[in-house]
Amino acid sequence: MPESATTHPDVLEKLVSLCKRRGFIFQSSEIYGGTGSVWDYGPLGVELKKNLKDRWWRSMVRARDDIEGLDAAILMHPRVWEASGHVSGFVDPLVDCRHCKKRFRADDPRIKGEPGTPEAQCPSCGMKGTLSAPRLFNLMFKTFMGPVEDTASIVYLRPETAQGIYVNFLNVQQATRQKVPFGIAQIGKAFRNEITPGNFIFRTREFEQMEMQFFVEPGTDAHWFEYWKEQRMQWHRSLGLDPARLAFHQHTKEELAHYARAAFDIQFDFGGTLGFQEIEGVHNRGDYDLSRHQEFSGKKLEYFDQPNNRRYLPVVIETSVGADRTTLALLVNAYREEEVPGEAEGRTVLGFHPALAPIKAGIFPLVKKDGMPEMATRLANDLRPHFPVFYDESGAIGRRYRRQDEIGTPFGITVDGQSVADGTVTVRDRDTLKQERVSADRLREYLRERIEP
Ligand code: GAP
């Protein structure tokens, strides 16, 4: 954690309510009382998260010639998770309260005293001496493959996407004829039976990861580790996240995951009690994964370096970022409430980077007459194949602007009396509130330039 505590307010509760009301994020299976820490993305949320994932894919795969894409399956051979160390190592110690039946992590700071002894007090019901000694609990979800539910048919829902990349390392390398150093990237779902999920989409049991594994020659890994740390921080800044709310955190020996030689988190300041928290991990995984898969599968996974006529297991530098957690960072970073000069009513704004905003422009006829709705509808239809736009003719114009501010739409295009006469429209900037007159013919080009300058 960075030394300084957060100075930003807690906006999570307000965001949960805005996200539900405006269709960003709903609780899963809400009509049945909800499913624990699982969330559904509504019409605006799915666009926001997709824009984020597309941006990651573009920067990792499309814009470079040394990283290949992959989409590996969620279900994998069960031996994969023995080799990866997850069957034995992906565990949290848990304690149970015999009285209230609640379950806690053994390191829960609210537990006073040593669990399993008569002194320890339950943080939920307050009883003394009712907490069990810690037991290890594996975080992987188990299910069965095929019609027989026995131990031979157990498979796991992957707890990270990375393993799908390691087991395909040689398939991808040989198919693409990439030479080390090169990377493989994928976006996909991961599942963890988290004991203390919560804080909206910050820690959930089903989530999406965007992971890239970069395979390098042993001895060059320190260089590539630094390179990827900087690249990834730069990428987070490019999303419009406030640079003052981003920080590196180096893992201590005790914090390192079982596979890591060295690790840095990229943290974002979520404000309130959460403060600075990890959104991405950059790890030097050594040759741990490839050597374990080689050992457990009995198949050689060495890379053949033709110029030097030498075979070796590459070292892996991993960058692993949560799509949901970064979506939450975008929402927290963007949320603001402000007064509007000269107006009684304030406004709530999601100040997203225009390239990430779910809707790029609201299109409004000033009034519902004199040819304005017709011209505005025409404009909306012309723009729609190029950008997500929203046509709205209901209510006072100020109200319509505010509805778009609240969902982060960067531009408000209004068709007024002058528009019908001279073919110009006004474009209102969400953040500065400045209005500019632009020729309707130029609007597409104008928006394109302003969305991705
Ligand atoms: N392959 C390495 C790996 O999985 P991790 O630090 O456990 O590393 C990487 O996870 C990222 O995945 C985290 O920085 C976070 O953004 C996201 N993540 C992990 N667990 C999560 C959860 N339960 N809910 C939401 N996001 C999660």
Side-chain angles (χ1 to χ4, degrees):
M1 287 269 144
E3 307 302 314
S4 57
T6 182
T7 53
H8 294 278
D10 190 343
V11 296
L12 277 197
E13 210 172 301
K14 287 175 174 170
L15 272 176
V16 173
S17 134
L18 188 157
C19 282
K20 178 179 174 188
R21 193 161 38 81
R22 299 306 308 270
F24 281 90
I25 298 167
F26 308 120
Q27 198 182 5
S28 159
S29 319
E30 192 187 3
I31 59 168
Y32 287 96
T35 319
S37 292
V38 186
W39 299 87
D40 297 339
Y41 286 76
L44 295 179
V46 67
E47 288 288 336
L48 176 64
K49 187 158 107 166
K50 188 173 184 312
N51 290 342
L52 176 72
K53 291 189 289 183
D54 286 350
R55 207 173 162 86
W56 184 87
W57 192 260
R58 256 201 326 274
S59 83
M60 282 297 193
V61 181
R62 299 256 167 97
R64 309 179 58 112
D65 61 3
D66 59 352
I67 299 184
E68 303 288 345
L70 180 73
D71 184 7
I74 289 171
L75 300 177
M76 302 181 75
H77 194 288
R79 292 271 285 165
V80 165
W81 306 108
E82 290 172 32
S84 71
H86 284 84
V87 170
S88 57
F90 198 50
V91 287
D92 268 346
L94 281 191
V95 300
D96 292 297
C97 174
R98 273 189 295 279
H99 180 249
C100 71
K101 311 286 180 220
K102 292 248 167 67
R103 193 165 257 198
F104 312 91
R105 281 174 66 123
D107 60 2
D108 190 318
R110 295 169 305 164
I111 298 177
K112 303 283 175 267
E114 192 68 28
T117 65
E119 287 73 46
Q121 193 166 5
C122 171
S124 179
C125 69
M127 291 283 274
K128 251 186 169 182
T130 55
L131 291 182
S132 69
R135 288 179 307 124
L136 291 180
F137 172 80
N138 195 294
L139 301 187
M140 282 195 294
F141 280 96
K142 277 184 198 163
T143 187
F144 300 96
M145 190 175 262
V148 187
E149 293 197 6
D150 61 16
T151 48
S153 61
I154 285 178
V155 290
Y156 300 97
L157 302 188
R158 66 181 177 201
E160 61 171 8
T161 65
Q163 300 301 326
I165 293 182
Y166 303 136
V167 300
N168 279 298
F169 162 64
L170 277 190
N171 282 341
V172 173
Q173 190 271 323
Q174 287 164 1
T176 60
R177 295 189 292 127
Q178 283 280 4
K179 294 187 175 47
V180 166
F182 79 98
I184 305 176
Q186 86 167 325
I187 299 177
K189 290 262 181 165
F191 303 83
R192 296 183 190 176
N193 202 356
E194 299 279 4
I195 297 148
T196 48
N199 290 307
F200 197 21
I201 53 170
F202 178 81
R203 182 171 286 111
T204 54
R205 296 194 167 107
E206 172 177 345
F207 55 98
E208 245 176 320
Q209 291 186 313
M210 307 186 280
E211 295 199 306
M212 192 282 298
Q213 316 295 324
F214 205 71
F215 301 89
V216 308
E217 193 179 344
T220 64
D221 43 316
H223 159 78
W224 285 109
F225 187 60
E226 281 307 309
Y227 170 85
W228 279 110
K229 255 177 68 189
E230 293 309 320
Q231 287 284 315
R232 297 305 304 148
M233 181 57 101
Q234 193 45 44
W235 184 79
H236 286 284
R237 292 199 188 115
S238 83
L239 304 178
L241 293 178
D242 176 358
R245 297 181 82 154
L246 288 166
F248 281 120
H249 165 73
Q250 181 169 18
H251 281 213
T252 60
K253 264 212 176 85
E254 292 70 44
E255 286 174 283
L256 283 179
H258 62 273
Y259 49 74
R261 275 189 197 172
F264 270 89
D265 291 340
I266 295 175
Q267 297 184 327
F268 173 75
D269 181 357
F270 287 89
T273 48
L274 267 178
F276 279 91
Q277 297 287 343
E278 168 187 352
I279 51 176
E280 170 151 4
V282 181
H283 309 127
N284 181 340
R285 295 180 69 133
D287 64 6
Y288 175 83
D289 303 275
L290 290 182
S291 70
R292 295 275 292 189
H293 285 306
Q294 190 165 266
E295 181 191 334
F296 278 67
S297 69
K299 300 268 167 24
K300 281 260 175 271
L301 291 176
E302 287 171 338
Y303 168 74
F304 180 52
D305 173 359
Q306 278 173 336
N308 297 307
N309 196 24
R310 164 171 105 85
R311 287 178 197 280
Y312 62 85
L313 277 184
V315 167
V316 170
I317 306 299
E318 166 181 67
T319 71
S320 173
V321 55
D324 310 272
R325 202 174 281 182
T326 308
T327 299
L328 183 61
L330 293 175
L331 285 163
V332 168
N333 185 74
Y335 185 89
R336 60 178 200 263
E337 289 166 13
E338 59 189 31
E339 314 211 318
V340 184
E343 288 185 31
E345 225 182 305
R347 63 176 193 152
T348 300
V349 186
L350 286 179
F352 297 130
H353 185 307
L356 294 167
I359 293 173
K360 308 303 182 196
I363 300 178
F364 317 115
L366 184 62
V367 289
K368 272 196 265 184
K369 57 179 188 187
D370 301 336
M372 293 178 217
E374 291 77 7
M375 182 174 171
T377 304
R378 242 189 352 263
L379 258 181
N381 290 341
D382 287 350
L383 290 172
R384 195 165 286 117
H386 309 283
F387 311 103
V389 295
F390 186 77
Y391 176 83
D392 188 2
E393 58 174 29
S394 65
I397 189 73
R399 264 275 154 78
R400 284 180 266 165
Y401 285 147
R402 272 183 198 77
R403 283 202 287 263
Q404 293 305 310
D405 290 342
E406 196 185 39
I407 60 169
T409 306
F411 305 106
I413 297 165
T414 304
V415 171
D416 55 15
Q418 187 180 333
S419 309
V420 180
D422 71 3
T424 63
V425 293
T426 63
V427 181
R428 169 189 179 267
D429 181 298
R430 173 198 66 202
D431 299 324
T432 63
L433 297 176
K434 292 225 169 74
Q435 307 229 5
E436 210 181 329
R437 274 209 103 83
V438 177
S439 158
D441 301 340
R442 270 205 61 232
L443 206 48
R444 192 171 130 196
E445 194 189 331
Y446 173 93
L447 289 176
R448 191 175 300 289
E449 280 165 13
R450 297 215 38 203
I451 288 167
E452 195 67 84

